Amino acid sequence: MSIQMIALSLGPAAPPSRLLALAPVDMVVIALYFAMVLGIGFYLKRYTKTGDDFFLAGREMTAWVAGLSFLAANLGALELMGWAAAAYQYGILATHWYWIGAIPAMLFLGIVMMPFYYISKTHSVPGYLKLRFGESSRALSAITFGFMTVLMSGINMYSMALVMKVVLGWDINFSIWVSSITVAVYVGLGGLLSAIFNEVLQFVLIWMGALLISIIGLIETGGWSGMVARIHANFPGGDYTHLWRTMGSFTDNPMGIHWTGIVLGLGWVISFGYWTTDFLVVQRVLAAKDLRSAKMAPIIGAGFKMMVPFIVILPGLLGLALLQPHLVGEAQAVATGGHSYNEVLPLMLARYCGPGLLGLGITALIAGFMSGMAGNVSAFATVWTYDIYKALVRKDATDAHYVTMGRWCTIVGVVVSIGTAYLVMQFLSIMDYVQALFSFFIAPLFGTVLLGMLWKRCSPAGGFWGLLAGTLSSIGMWAWVKLDPTALKYIALSTNARDMAENMYRALWSWIVCVVVTVVVSLLTKPKPESELTGLVYGCTDVPGEGHLPIYQRPVFWAGVIALAFVTLNVIFW
Amino acid sequence: MHRPNLISIWFFVGVLLVAYGLLITGAGLYGLFSPPARPVVLGELHAGIWWGGLLLALGTVYTVKFSPRRQK
């Protein structure tokens, strides 16, 4: 769920001058970070000998480590800078992507879906599809996922290098090569174990580097009410601090989104699709040491996800209250020499952080980028090795052979990502298409996995044809609007809908197509016998109970606590 | 658990936070006696000193609590 708006709008025409200048102590802070992540990779190599070690971290992670890693793999630098920029542009509406666009799905993953992923002992989400529906569904899912993952990795790499150029004046080639070689080394050496260790470290650094902006910003504005008063004074007539009040019409809010799009498109299909079926994040939870830890990990992740707006959205809102002159769109910024929305986080960083603290803030951005890239690369290595190479190329090799393949695949994944980064540099419009590609696959996959887990009548043919039909329908709708923009009124229910709204409604329709085709084909074809569905489907699986545990140790209790906090926050900021 | 000697991730986190705490507190103290030419907003709060101190304290707790010697 990262957004590409920064690099898209910065583009090659961005001004060459840098926003920040680092002191020697800042450089030492950044250098120490690189030394530590590489050191962890070399240290962990001796602990990754088997396939389970390399691809699933030995399935020994505690709930806390798996949960923080689960969240860190998603908390990329573009996520931080992009949503801070979105908060400056759209106000608190950007919080929807952290709350309704994440929390219910994460809790659903932990309580409902995780038992099936975990008990089936699958290595990956495509691996689950193989067990549930057969080889064809796995192949379709694995190939699309692998393709998407390296493309996204390359695009993120390019975007981050561009951000470093604009913010610090660093050479794009230097940023791309140093960061990607570092990720290749530590993931190639220690596999998922190394990726998870570093993601926990990166998670801590992201918080420590970004939290200070919000704290000092609130001191400067005199707290939340002082900040709101300043925003009203700076932007009279605009509503930047309410989550739901302006959602009654497409034209009442700057995002051009109706509440049905947010609830059904973002909150249901896109969010559930991403958080419950994207192997990039699910892989971290599969590494948990037991079923209870696997269920708790997404719940712990949800608790922290709910707090991320404090370090991402709040700096954007503080920028609205404090920064003069106001920030503008990228084109206007380039024309006038001013600053754009996308620079709000580095501008706030420069506003409050002196030597040392500035290095920590930049390290947080670099850590965010590397955690996202490591997530892509380790997931790609697993899916390639187990779901493509082992399934389609060489079925009977030794475990050591697959580990070696995984290590090489990590290197190859990084090299392909670098190639993608340079390709994007030449053809910037690729980013438009890849962002759309991401939505093509996730929504239908969620329909397939959900029906597969909860409906034992769902047949192998139904699973495959539903997934294919959902994906093709999504591509078809996207092409239809590209060829005939007036089709937007059919896809997004309004000609006033913007890109984000179109994405959400397209995801919703493609999910519905997937579900309808899956159900119809399943009813017309032969299902698997129940004996083959044990451990895979609700009603055929004996999920271990938690009645013997004290209530405070039960995942469902903590899911309830997080759900209550989620509802309360939405009411408070209604 | 077939990796009994594996050092906890929290130890690595602690070590890095200690190093950062020392560097940032040191830079903050240096700024106290030699103010920068272009001070940051609310520089009088000396955020480097107390934020660096917080990192140092947290890092020390994690380094000691998850030290490989204590884990054995």
Side-chain angles (χ1 to χ4, degrees):
Chain A
M1 296 244 279
S2 64
I3 54 176
Q4 314 301 333
M5 53 187 288
I6 293 179
L8 264 178
S9 52
L10 281 176
S17 60
R18 62 188 183 186
L19 291 177
L20 306 175
L22 298 180
V25 67
D26 298 316
M27 300 303 289
V28 174
V29 167
I30 295 170
L32 270 178
Y33 166 73
F34 276 93
M36 179 59 89
V37 295
L38 286 172
I40 288 175
F42 280 103
Y43 168 70
L44 292 176
K45 182 176 185 298
R46 76 189 77 165
Y47 293 102
T48 48
K49 293 187 169 63
T50 69
D52 258 11
D53 289 338
F54 190 84
F55 298 109
L56 284 172
R59 289 189 190 260
E60 290 181 350
M61 297 299 108
T62 63
W64 277 93
V65 170
L68 296 185
S69 166
F70 171 73
L71 187 54
N74 164 263
L75 197 59
L78 294 179
E79 188 88 2
L80 299 175
M81 291 190 52
W83 287 113
Y88 188 96
Q89 199 172 357
Y90 303 120
I92 203 171
L93 292 182
T95 308
H96 284 307
W97 272 256
Y98 289 89
W99 290 354
I100 195 168
I103 306 303
M106 293 164 93
L107 299 182
F108 187 78
L109 171 67
I111 297 301
V112 178
M113 296 176 80
M114 213 53 233
F116 303 107
Y117 279 136
Y118 199 84
I119 292 172
S120 69
K121 294 288 176 194
T122 179
H123 284 88
S124 64
V125 174
Y128 175 82
L129 293 181
K130 156 74 170 63
L131 297 171
R132 180 64 183 87
F133 296 119
E135 200 59 78
S136 51
S137 296
R138 162 156 81 175
L140 176 62
S141 167
I143 290 169
T144 53
F145 177 81
F147 178 66
M148 280 305 309
T149 305
V150 290
L151 272 181
M152 292 299 285
S153 177
I155 284 168
N156 285 338
M157 188 187 294
Y158 167 69
S159 303
M160 185 62 199
L162 201 57
V163 167
M164 286 299 163
K165 183 187 175 192
V166 172
V167 174
L168 295 172
W170 287 359
D171 179 67
I172 283 188
N173 298 302
F174 171 81
S175 298
I176 286 177
W177 284 95
V178 168
S179 56
S180 55
I181 288 174
T182 306
V183 170
V185 168
Y186 81 72
V187 179
L189 288 169
L192 184 63
L193 182 63
S194 184
I196 288 179
F197 262 52
N198 277 305
E199 280 159 4
V200 173
L201 182 74
Q202 287 149 356
F203 180 85
V204 173
L205 293 179
I206 289 167
W207 273 89
M208 288 299 162
L211 185 60
L212 193 60
I213 295 173
S214 299
I215 293 173
I216 303 184
L218 285 177
I219 292 173
E220 186 180 357
T221 57
W224 175 265
S225 54
M227 182 191 77
V228 172
R230 286 186 189 223
I231 293 175
H232 286 160
N234 286 345
F235 301 92
D239 188 342
Y240 289 89
T241 52
H242 290 104
L243 271 175
W244 293 102
R245 280 185 198 180
T246 59
M247 286 277 148
S249 161
F250 286 94
T251 52
D252 284 352
N253 62 81
M255 275 189 173
I257 293 178
H258 189 257
W259 69 267
T260 54
I262 288 287
V263 173
L264 299 175
L266 174 67
W268 172 237
V269 177
I270 290 182
S271 164
F272 275 68
Y274 176 78
W275 288 104
T276 66
T277 65
D278 190 323
F279 184 54
L280 165 67
V281 287
V282 172
Q283 185 180 27
R284 273 75 193 139
V285 189
L286 289 177
K289 64 180 180 179
D290 53 34
L291 178 57
R292 183 183 161 276
S293 299
K295 291 171 78 173
M296 277 302 296
I299 296 167
I300 290 169
F304 281 99
K305 183 76 177 177
M306 209 156 43
M307 292 190 283
V308 171
F310 196 71
I311 58 169
V312 176
I313 305 300
L314 191 52
L317 295 177
L318 287 165
L320 276 172
L322 295 168
L323 293 179
Q324 297 288 351
H326 297 161
L327 308 185
V328 293
E330 196 64 36
Q332 195 181 343
V334 171
T336 61
H339 291 296
S340 79
Y341 309 130
N342 299 318
E343 295 164 7
V344 65
L345 196 60
L347 283 171
M348 295 302 285
L349 201 61
R351 184 180 182 87
Y352 298 128
C353 295
L357 287 173
L358 196 55
L360 185 64
I362 295 298
T363 302
L365 291 179
I366 296 173
F369 162 68
M370 286 171 58
S371 64
M373 186 181 174
N376 278 310
V377 169
S378 55
F380 172 74
T382 306
V383 167
W384 169 267
T385 304
Y386 278 114
D387 298 310
I388 298 175
Y389 181 74
K390 187 177 180 181
L392 305 174
V393 181
R394 192 166 170 185
K395 289 189 164 88
D396 302 317
T398 62
D399 187 58
H401 175 83
Y402 292 125
V403 174
T404 305
M405 173 55 67
R407 290 193 204 281
W408 278 109
C409 192
T410 302
I411 309 291
V412 170
V414 169
V415 170
V416 174
S417 300
I418 292 172
T420 306
Y422 281 101
L423 196 66
V424 174
M425 211 183 296
Q426 298 301 316
F427 306 100
L428 207 59
S429 59
I430 288 175
M431 296 177 70
D432 270 334
Y433 300 113
V434 173
Q435 192 69 355
L437 277 175
F438 187 75
S439 67
F440 294 160
F441 305 122
I442 284 295
L445 181 59
F446 171 55
T448 304
V449 173
L450 188 69
L451 284 173
M453 281 184 177
L454 301 182
W455 189 40
K456 56 189 174 188
R457 180 67 182 76
C458 191
S459 72
F464 174 76
W465 289 109
L467 183 60
L468 189 62
T471 305
L472 292 178
S473 70
S474 186
I475 295 169
M477 283 182 276
W478 175 80
W480 187 20
V481 174
K482 279 282 173 198
L483 294 172
D484 176 14
T486 61
L488 196 62
K489 66 184 172 196
Y490 302 111
I491 304 296
L493 308 178
S494 167
T495 50
N496 293 315
R498 306 269 178 90
D499 288 350
M500 281 188 185
E502 185 198 340
N503 278 337
M504 284 174 208
Y505 280 102
R506 192 175 61 235
L508 182 60
W509 297 132
S510 63
W511 180 81
I512 290 172
V513 168
C514 169
V515 168
V516 169
V517 171
T518 304
V519 169
V520 170
V521 175
S522 291
L523 292 175
L524 296 173
T525 53
K526 189 180 170 189
K528 275 188 166 184
E530 286 197 20
S531 59
E532 292 180 23
L533 299 179
T534 305
L536 300 171
V537 184
Y538 183 79
C540 302
T541 304
D542 187 17
V543 179
E546 289 154 355
H548 62 288
L549 294 171
I551 191 164
Y552 63 87
Q553 287 187 1
R554 295 181 200 171
V556 71
F557 169 75
W558 288 107
V561 170
I562 300 294
L564 188 63
F566 163 74
V567 172
T568 306
L569 283 170
N570 274 279
V571 171
I572 288 173
F573 293 99
W574 187 271
Chain B
M1 185 88 174
H2 70 278
R3 291 186 288 220
N5 297 319
L6 182 66
I7 298 173
S8 167
I9 173 57
W10 301 113
F11 175 74
F12 293 105
V13 170
V15 169
L16 195 62
L17 289 185
V18 165
Y20 281 176
L22 289 172
L23 281 170
I24 292 169
T25 309
L29 287 171
Y30 179 78
L32 195 60
F33 297 107
S34 175
R38 293 172 61 191
V40 295
V41 174
L42 293 183
E44 65 274 18
L45 293 178
H46 301 292
I49 296 175
W50 51 266
W51 197 249
L54 176 71
L55 297 184
L56 184 58
L58 274 176
T60 305
V61 169
Y62 275 85
T63 305
V64 172
K65 184 171 167 53
F66 294 96
S67 153
R69 287 184 186 173
R70 282 174 70 110
Q71 298 295 305
K72 283 180 183 173

